[in-house]
Amino acid sequence: MSQPDSIDAVQKMLGEQGYVCGRALATVVFLSLRLGRPLFLEGEAGVGKTEIAKALAAGLGRRLIRLQCYEGLDASSAVYEWNFPAQMVAIRTAEAVGGSDRKGLQEELFSGDYLIRRPLLEAMEPDPAGPPVLLIDELDRTDEPFEAFLLEALSDFQVTIPEIGTIKAPEPPIVIVTSNRTREVHDALKRRCLYHWVDYPDFDRELEILHARAPEAAEALSREVVAFVQHLRTEDLFKKPGVAETIDWAKCLLALDVINLSPEVIGDTLGAVLKYQDDIQKLQGSEAKRILDQAKATLEPV
């Protein structure tokens, strides 16, 4: 599938995959595709940073390759490793049959047949469908040495395997890097990317997102859910709910055949929208009713 030729086409393509985005985000996605630059998305957890990579891959008909970052991630885990058990079997087999060509055996052991490809190496290899979408998710969870390595990989779109040599992507992958900003990512990496801060959506956009992701929800319930979550984000919480929690909560309410929100229903289902006990405790008793009353007061009659 060809790349979209305008910002409106990007919005339309993502919308067809159930991802609703504003023009600012669609613009930076369009520029990333047009210029072949990595896209760095920063924002709170649950606002849709990871989902845009999934929607983009689906919309373009490309393979999605995800590198989930974590503390202690190193280059070998992200690029490749050798299949040591298979290599040992090959060595024992060669010994058993009396193989004497040590150089040939070594070349065989360190060939592509025994190479386990990790996300960065997979993203550098040619794909019949076109360059894949490489999602480097939650980069802020890694440490600075991995950032420095990634800086080189994203600059030249190539990786080096000492036993084989340098592998360069025939066409650069579409790279999306996300961060929840648990720590600052180095400026050197950001400078190589186009940057966008993904914020919580306003009421109308979040309602549109909910319609796209949970279309079976009644209009009245959807409006109440979005209004309540919007007000909930203004409270002093350890972790404010993201759009993902809004969608999850609406689906939970649908499973319970809820028609309208009530303090009792909210109390029973808070675990779908809040993930910390301290936050849940704050909404016990009259607090849930207070926020619900405020939310309903802001809703205009449909």
Side-chain angles (χ1 to χ4, degrees):
M1 186 178 298
S2 61
Q3 293 187 3
D5 57 3
S6 68
I7 298 168
D8 291 337
V10 169
Q11 283 185 294
K12 181 176 183 294
M13 179 188 71
L14 294 176
E16 289 172 349
Q17 305 304 320
Y19 191 95
V20 179
C21 72
R23 190 170 181 83
L25 179 54
T27 299
V28 76
V29 170
F30 171 75
L31 291 173
S32 174
L33 294 173
R34 178 60 62 89
L35 301 177
R37 294 277 300 278
L39 177 57
F40 189 95
L41 300 176
E42 205 166 35
E44 299 293 338
V47 293
K49 303 184 298 298
T50 300
E51 288 300 316
I52 194 169
K54 296 178 181 178
L56 192 58
L60 293 172
R62 307 288 178 84
R63 182 183 177 197
L64 175 66
I65 299 174
R66 181 174 182 171
L67 174 61
Q68 181 61 54
C69 298
Y70 55 87
E71 186 177 352
L73 177 66
D74 58 15
S76 61
S77 301
V79 181
Y80 76 99
E81 61 181 309
W82 292 107
N83 189 339
F84 292 118
Q87 287 175 322
M88 288 303 299
V89 170
I91 292 171
R92 296 294 170 81
T93 302
E95 290 174 345
V97 298
S100 58
D101 185 3
R102 297 178 62 87
K103 183 178 180 181
L105 177 60
Q106 184 175 1
E107 289 178 353
E108 178 188 347
L109 291 175
F110 293 102
S111 66
D113 293 339
Y114 295 91
L115 189 67
I116 300 175
R117 292 160 174 80
R118 296 305 184 195
L120 286 181
L121 180 56
E122 285 187 283
M124 302 296 174
E125 296 184 329
D127 191 306
V133 175
L134 172 62
L135 169 62
I136 303 173
D137 210 12
E138 299 182 332
L139 179 62
D140 52 317
R141 292 182 179 272
T142 63
D143 50 24
E144 292 186 0
F146 182 76
E147 265 191 55
F149 161 76
L150 196 60
L151 195 64
E152 180 182 357
L154 294 184
S155 295
D156 302 323
F157 292 105
Q158 65 181 31
V159 292
T160 300
I161 300 174
E163 299 87 350
I164 295 179
T166 299
I167 298 175
K168 185 176 179 62
E171 292 183 79
I174 299 166
V175 181
I176 295 181
V177 184
T178 75
S179 168
N180 294 335
R181 209 176 185 182
T182 57
R183 70 169 179 85
E184 286 294 334
V185 173
H186 200 278
D187 287 345
L189 192 140
K190 285 186 175 182
R191 283 198 301 271
R192 283 161 174 76
C193 305
L194 298 177
Y195 176 87
H196 186 80
W197 174 266
V198 184
D199 208 346
Y200 294 116
D202 59 20
F203 177 86
D204 290 336
R205 189 166 303 284
E206 190 160 15
L207 184 61
E208 190 178 354
I209 293 169
L210 190 56
H211 285 159
R213 301 304 295 271
E216 63 275 22
E219 178 69 16
L221 179 62
S222 295
R223 289 168 61 82
E224 286 184 1
V225 165
V226 172
F228 186 87
V229 173
Q230 293 264 328
H231 278 75
L232 202 54
R233 292 188 188 124
T234 66
E235 299 292 312
D236 182 21
L237 299 174
F238 180 75
K239 170 64 177 69
K240 300 180 189 301
V243 180
E245 282 75 33
T246 304
I247 297 168
D248 286 345
W249 192 30
K251 290 181 177 179
C252 288
L253 296 173
L254 282 171
L256 295 172
D257 295 323
V258 172
I259 299 174
N260 296 103
L261 286 182
S262 68
E264 293 74 24
V265 167
I266 293 170
D268 290 341
T269 58
L270 268 179
V273 70
L274 296 176
K275 306 302 180 180
Y276 288 89
Q277 178 60 21
D278 289 347
D279 289 343
I280 293 175
Q281 282 292 116
K282 290 180 181 179
L283 265 73
Q284 299 302 318
S286 61
E287 280 300 291
K289 184 178 185 306
R290 176 183 65 82
I291 297 174
L292 179 60
D293 289 343
Q294 290 177 348
K296 286 184 176 181
T298 63
L299 293 175
E300 299 176 357
V302 179

